[in-house]
Amino acid sequence: MDYETIEIERHGRVALLRLNRPRALNALNAKLIGEIADALTHFEADAEIGCVVLTGSAEAFAAGADIKELRDKTVAEAYLDDFLARWDGVARARKPVIAAVAGYALGGGCELAMMCDFILAADTAKFGQPEIKLGVIPGSGGTQRLVRSIGKSKAMELVLTGRLMGAEEAERCGLVARIAPADKLLEEALKSAQTIAALSLPAVLMAKEAVERAYETPLSEGVRFERRMFYSLFATHDQKEGMTAFIEKRSPKFEHR
Ligand SMILES: CCCCCCCCCCCCC[C@H](O)CC(=O)SCCNC(=O)CCNC(=O)[C@H](O)C(C)(C)COP(=O)(O)OP(=O)(O)OC[C@H]1O[C@@H](n2cnc3c(N)ncnc32)[C@H](O)[C@@H]1OP(=O)(O)O
């Protein structure tokens, strides 16, 4: 896979995808988004990959959609092309995607991070949805995912003022799972990803699907969904191996299928 705006590294069962448009602070233009989408499609189909880490540079995870590319679009072009509908791919990934955010994650950059399954932030991370300062609003889930992650008041303040939020505040309000020193961010993200990738893939995918279902489902239905997934895992080799290994006081050897 030859790419111009992203770099790929493989670390065992983990794929590291690094956004690489440093001179534009990883502004998300159509080429960069297309390459992210293509790489994710490959990882989804690759049985040797159990988890993906998405990261940027020390300065920016992504400073938003590429404003220079957006500026001259017309409403007809945007509506007929519906480009944003195609850019939701990270949110549709079945395998876990961890966002490792240092520096700016703004606008579409923050939305991209929120499409991932969880965010690990460097102490240098700055999050925000500053679209209002450009005369627009978030267009890739920012108003929807932010409220569900951090609650209405703080989400509304961030969206209406366009102010940025540092890593500490982001962790305190629940946008970020954990903070790491900037020079340890990637190490921490890869460690989490390797832990996940060593587990039973059916259980991991079902766990992700069940957690995501909480966004879309009333509690009683969500609990029923989770219960059906729980019962179904008793048909897998990995459930027998996992519970047997515990009883025999040894590490499980999951087959990942
Ligand atoms: C399956 C595929 C999945 C992919 C999912 C994709 C997710 C969705 C992507 C589309 C989202 C569309 C909807 C979205 O809600 C809309 C937006 O994101 S609008 C943009 C929002 N972002 C901003 O408003 C931030 C803009 N940038 C800044 O405010 C500042 O640059 C900064 C980040 C505060 C840093 O300031 P400085 O340190 O002073 O640096 P500079 O400003 O000089 O920037 C350096 C250099 O980078 C260029 N640049 C920075 N940000 C952008 C940008 N967003 N677009 C284009 N270019 C940008 C800047 O112009 C400088 O370059 P130069 O002009 O010097 O060549």
Side-chain angles (χ1 to χ4, degrees), residues 80-99:
L80 291 174
D81 181 35
D82 198 8
F83 61 98
L84 292 179
R86 292 198 301 276
W87 292 359
D88 223 13
V90 174
R92 291 193 299 274
R94 297 186 68 209
K95 292 179 181 175
V97 183
I98 298 170

Side-chain angles (χ1 to χ4, degrees), residues 23-25 27-28 33 36-37 40 63-68 70 83-84 86-90 104 106-109 111-112 115 129-131 134 136-140 164:
R23 283 200 298 275
L25 297 179
L28 297 158
I33 291 166
I36 296 170
L40 283 176
D66 189 316
I67 296 166
K68 296 161 188 167
L70 284 183
F83 61 98
L84 292 179
R86 292 198 301 276
W87 292 359
D88 223 13
V90 174
Y104 294 112
L106 306 181
E111 291 168 317
L112 174 56
M115 289 177 195
Q129 301 288 167
E131 289 87 341
L134 304 170
V136 290
I137 69 169
S140 267
L164 307 193

Side-chain angles (χ1 to χ4, degrees), residues 7 16-26 54-63 100-106 120-127 167 180-186:
E7 291 170 349
L16 173 64
L17 193 168
R18 187 193 309 274
L19 281 61
N20 188 26
R21 282 193 80 202
R23 283 200 298 275
L25 297 179
N26 289 330
L54 191 60
T55 193
S57 66
E59 292 72 35
F61 177 74
V101 175
Y104 294 112
L106 306 181
L120 299 184
D123 43 20
T124 59
K126 296 185 184 72
F127 299 89
D183 63 351
K184 296 285 183 207
L185 175 69
L186 220 37

Side-chain angles (χ1 to χ4, degrees), residues 17-18 32 169 205 246:
L17 193 168
R18 187 193 309 274
L32 173 51
E169 185 182 4
L205 298 190
F246 174 80

Side-chain angles (χ1 to χ4, degrees), residues 208-238:
K208 170 169 171 170
E209 188 179 356
V211 170
E212 283 178 338
R213 185 60 67 99
Y215 265 154
E216 314 275 354
T217 309
L219 178 60
S220 57
E221 175 46 38
V223 167
R224 265 197 299 278
F225 178 84
E226 173 195 77
R227 199 179 304 138
R228 288 195 297 274
M229 294 285 229
F230 173 77
Y231 293 153
S232 69
L233 283 166
F234 281 74
T236 67
H237 162 275
D238 285 345

